Amino acid sequence: MSPLQSASSSIAPSLAYRALDVSTGSRQRTPLRFLRRLAAHPRMTVGATIIIVVSALALFAPWIVERPPDIQNVTYRLAPPSSEYWLGGDSYGRDIFSRLLYAGRVSLSVGLLSMILTVVIGVLVGALAGYYGGWIDRILMRLTEIVLVIPTFFLLILTVATFGRSIPLLILIIGVTSWPINARVVRGEIMRLRKYDFVVASRVVGGKDSWIVVRHLLPHLIPIVIASATIRVANNILIESGLSFLGLGVQPPTPTWGNMIAEGTSLMRQAWWLVGIPGATIFVVVLAFNLFGEGLRDFLDPRTRGRTR
C-alpha cells in the first residue's frame, strides 16, 4: 500500500465519524432550535397556554366540579368567593365556578365550530375566484361584497326572532356571514401565486386544476389561514356573548359567559363577581386567541425562521 493510500484510508474513517457526529448533533439541536423559536414568539406561547388551560377546564368540567351548574342552594345566594364556593354564588345560589366551566363548553364550541365553517367557505370561494379569474371571479366577488355588507349581529337578531334560539342555528349564521374577509385574503394570495413558475410548470405537464390548487397553492396559505382562523374564534365568542347578554343567544338555564353577565347586571353593586368573573374570562380568552393568532402567523412565516436559529 502506498503512503497516499494509507493516508486516505486513515482519513476516511475520521471523516465518516465526524460526519456522523455532525448529523447526530444536528438532530440533537433540533428540539433546542424549536424551543428557541418558541421563546422568540412569547405571544403565541402565552396565548396557547391560556387556550389549553381554559379548554381543558371546560372539557373536563364534570370531573373538576362537584356541583352541576343548575343546582340551587339558597344558603349561598349572592355568597362571596369562599373555600366552599370558589368564585361565589349567584342570585339563585348556584356555583359560579361550575357555571363558568360549563359555559366555556358552549362559548368555545360556538366559536370553534362557526370558525371552521367560516374557513371552509372562505378558502373555497377565495381559491376558485383567485385561480380561475374572469366571470367566476366577478360573480364570487359580487357575492362576497353582498355578504360583507350584511350586518351579522342584526341578521342574528332577526334570525333568532324568527326561528327561535338554537345553538346549531347560531353556529350556522355566524359561520355563513363571516367568510368574506377570508375569501378576499385567499383570493389575493392565489392570484399572486398562480403566476409563479412552479404553477405554470404543473399546468404544462398536465396537472389538474384541483391538484394544483390543493398541492401547490393552498400549502402557501396555511400560515395566513390559521392566523385568521384563531382570531375569528375570538370574534365569534364576542358575538355569541353579546347575543346572550341581550337574551337572544343560548336559552337559559344553559350557561354561557354572556348570559351569566346579563343575569348579574342588576346585582353588580351587591355582588361584583356576578359580572366581573365572566367578564374577565371573556376578556382573557379573547385576548389569548388574538395573541395566539398573531404569534402563530409569525411562527409559521418562513421569513422569520432564520432570525431564531
Side-chain angles (χ1 to χ4, degrees), residues 99-120:
R99 291 179 61 78
L100 193 73
L101 298 191
Y102 278 91
R105 287 183 155 197
V106 178
S107 298
L108 290 174
S109 297
V110 171
L112 290 171
L113 293 177
S114 56
M115 176 272 293
I116 293 174
L117 185 59
T118 296
V119 170
V120 170

Side-chain angles (χ1 to χ4, degrees), residues 233-253:
V233 174
N235 294 336
N236 294 344
I237 291 176
L238 286 176
I239 292 174
E240 184 277 325
S241 299
L243 284 173
S244 297
F245 177 78
L246 295 175
L248 299 171
V250 180
Q251 178 88 27

Side-chain angles (χ1 to χ4, degrees), residues 200-261:
V200 176
S202 183
R203 289 175 183 166
V204 171
V205 298
K208 295 182 178 179
D209 292 339
S210 58
W211 170 258
I212 295 174
V213 172
V214 174
R215 178 65 179 83
H216 297 294
L217 296 179
L218 290 185
H220 291 80
L221 303 178
I222 290 177
I224 299 175
V225 171
I226 292 179
S228 63
T230 53
I231 296 175
R232 174 54 54 185
V233 174
N235 294 336
N236 294 344
I237 291 176
L238 286 176
I239 292 174
E240 184 277 325
S241 299
L243 284 173
S244 297
F245 177 78
L246 295 175
L248 299 171
V250 180
Q251 178 88 27
T254 302
T256 68
W257 294 331
N259 63 28
M260 287 179 67
I261 295 176

Side-chain angles (χ1 to χ4, degrees), residues 3-293:
L4 181 60
Q5 291 175 338
S6 177
S8 301
S9 62
S10 62
I11 292 174
S14 64
L15 292 176
Y17 284 119
R18 185 175 299 175
L20 180 61
D21 292 339
V22 171
S23 62
T24 304
S26 63
R27 286 197 300 269
Q28 292 175 350
R29 286 195 300 270
T30 299
L32 296 177
R33 182 180 301 171
F34 180 75
L35 293 176
R36 283 198 297 268
R37 289 189 60 205
L38 284 179
H41 299 86
R43 291 180 300 174
M44 183 188 69
T45 306
V46 172
T49 302
I50 296 174
I51 293 171
I52 291 173
V53 171
V54 172
S55 301
L57 289 174
L59 181 63
F60 297 105
W63 295 274
I64 295 175
V65 295
E66 299 178 358
R67 288 172 289 273
D70 55 348
I71 295 297
Q72 302 180 14
N73 187 344
V74 294
T75 305
Y76 292 95
R77 181 180 181 273
L78 300 182
S82 63
S83 59
E84 184 68 21
Y85 275 39
W86 291 357
L87 299 180
D90 65 2
S91 58
Y92 297 97
R94 296 173 296 190
D95 187 356
I96 293 180
F97 181 63
S98 175
R99 291 179 61 78
L100 193 73
L101 298 191
Y102 278 91
R105 287 183 155 197
V106 178
S107 298
L108 290 174
S109 297
V110 171
L112 290 171
L113 293 177
S114 56
M115 176 272 293
I116 293 174
L117 185 59
T118 296
V119 170
V120 170
I121 298 175
V123 170
L124 180 62
V125 172
L128 291 175
Y131 185 79
Y132 288 106
W135 64 270
I136 296 179
D137 180 36
R138 289 192 293 272
I139 292 176
L140 292 178
M141 285 301 100
R142 296 298 82 76
L143 175 63
T144 301
E145 292 172 358
I146 292 173
V147 177
L148 188 62
V149 299
I150 297 176
T152 302
F153 201 79
F154 291 103
L155 178 62
L156 283 166
I157 293 176
L158 179 62
T159 304
V160 169
T162 305
F163 300 102
R165 289 176 283 189
S166 169
I167 294 179
L169 182 62
L170 190 64
I171 294 172
L172 179 64
I173 298 300
I174 294 175
V176 299
T177 56
S178 305
W179 56 265
I181 296 178
N182 296 72
R184 284 186 165 186
V185 172
V186 172
R187 170 183 175 268
E189 289 296 313
I190 293 291
M191 293 181 69
R192 181 179 65 86
L193 292 172
R194 71 180 182 180
K195 301 176 183 178
Y196 281 20
D197 293 339
F198 65 90
V199 177
V200 176
S202 183
R203 289 175 183 166
V204 171
V205 298
K208 295 182 178 179
D209 292 339
S210 58
W211 170 258
I212 295 174
V213 172
V214 174
R215 178 65 179 83
H216 297 294
L217 296 179
L218 290 185
H220 291 80
L221 303 178
I222 290 177
I224 299 175
V225 171
I226 292 179
S228 63
T230 53
I231 296 175
R232 174 54 54 185
V233 174
N235 294 336
N236 294 344
I237 291 176
L238 286 176
I239 292 174
E240 184 277 325
S241 299
L243 284 173
S244 297
F245 177 78
L246 295 175
L248 299 171
V250 180
Q251 178 88 27
T254 302
T256 68
W257 294 331
N259 63 28
M260 287 179 67
I261 295 176
E263 292 173 358
T265 302
S266 60
L267 300 169
M268 186 169 58
R269 292 186 178 181
Q270 298 175 254
W272 61 267
W273 51 89
L274 298 181
V275 174
I277 291 176
T281 302
I282 294 174
F283 173 79
V284 171
V285 171
V286 169
L287 178 64
F289 274 105
N290 282 300
L291 290 176
F292 179 67

